[in-house]
Amino acid sequence: MENFKLEIFESENNGSRLEFEKVEASEFKIVSEKILVLLKRKAFEEFGKFFIEVDNNLDQSLNFENLDDLNGIINLIDNTISGEQDCYIIWNYPSQIDKVQLNYLIDNWLSFWYPESDEAIVLLLPDSDLIILLTDYGLVKFTKLTLSE
């Protein structure tokens, strides 16, 4: 998460801080393995091209005029997803991954997502077997494993 977002949130919320955790090395391996399973990959071909590889391997897409309503986006993808689960936000792979409760992310989405500065982010919801790519131009791509896969 970029510092300017934290500073804006604190100034607009009487010094309150956004609630998220930076993913540590021990958890990074688990996150990476889950992403590879969802993308049906054994490894990333080029480490520095994570977002391109994710984009190329997601099989469903939706277009939105804007991405201001994360809850609406998630409900269109799957309206049975529980907000009581962890969500990993991949800002830059592998160096910037944060973990947040999904309900909290939905409630504070516009403090996390800034289309003016964020070109793309990936959300991983491991409990729902879902990975979502969100772009600043309104394209949302995703893959959700089903029981038959």
Side-chain angles (χ1 to χ4, degrees):
M1 163 96 52
E2 295 170 300
N3 282 334
F4 82 89
K5 295 176 185 180
L6 301 174
E7 291 167 3
I8 291 171
F9 185 85
E10 287 178 24
S11 71
E12 292 176 349
N13 293 280
N14 298 321
S16 295
R17 304 189 117 187
L18 275 171
E19 297 174 19
F20 70 96
E21 301 171 28
K22 292 184 182 292
V23 170
E24 301 298 327
S26 59
E27 197 170 11
F28 170 75
K29 183 176 181 189
I30 295 166
V31 171
S32 294
E33 288 172 357
K34 187 66 171 187
I35 292 169
L36 289 170
V37 166
L38 288 168
L39 297 179
K40 299 177 183 141
R41 305 291 303 257
K42 292 186 184 208
F44 294 113
E45 290 177 19
E46 291 189 55
F47 210 58
K49 299 195 178 198
F50 172 78
F51 285 94
I52 293 169
E53 287 198 49
V54 169
D55 182 27
N56 290 339
N57 287 281
L58 297 177
D59 56 6
Q60 299 179 62
S61 64
L62 298 166
N63 286 297
F64 293 87
E65 192 169 307
N66 67 59
L67 301 179
D68 291 351
D69 181 14
L70 181 61
N71 191 47
I73 293 167
I74 290 174
N75 281 328
L76 279 174
I77 293 170
D78 182 345
N79 65 2
T80 66
I81 289 177
S82 167
E84 301 296 322
Q85 65 178 297
D86 289 332
C87 177
Y88 294 90
I89 306 169
I90 297 118
W91 306 100
N92 188 10
Y93 185 88
S95 62
Q96 285 183 287
I97 303 174
D98 296 326
K99 178 169 73 171
V100 64
Q101 188 76 24
L102 181 57
N103 278 336
Y104 185 83
L105 178 62
I106 289 169
D107 291 345
N108 295 283
W109 174 240
L110 295 179
S111 295
F112 284 87
W113 172 256
Y114 282 73
E116 300 82 15
S117 66
D118 296 323
E119 291 179 37
I121 63 170
V122 170
L123 303 180
L124 172 66
L125 287 78
D127 292 349
S128 296
D129 290 325
L130 177 64
I131 185 169
I132 306 169
L133 170 70
L134 299 113
T135 67
D136 61 348
Y137 53 91
L139 178 65
V140 175
K141 294 184 79 173
F142 61 96
T143 290
K144 181 168 179 23
L145 287 184
T146 59
L147 292 176
S148 62
E149 292 183 86

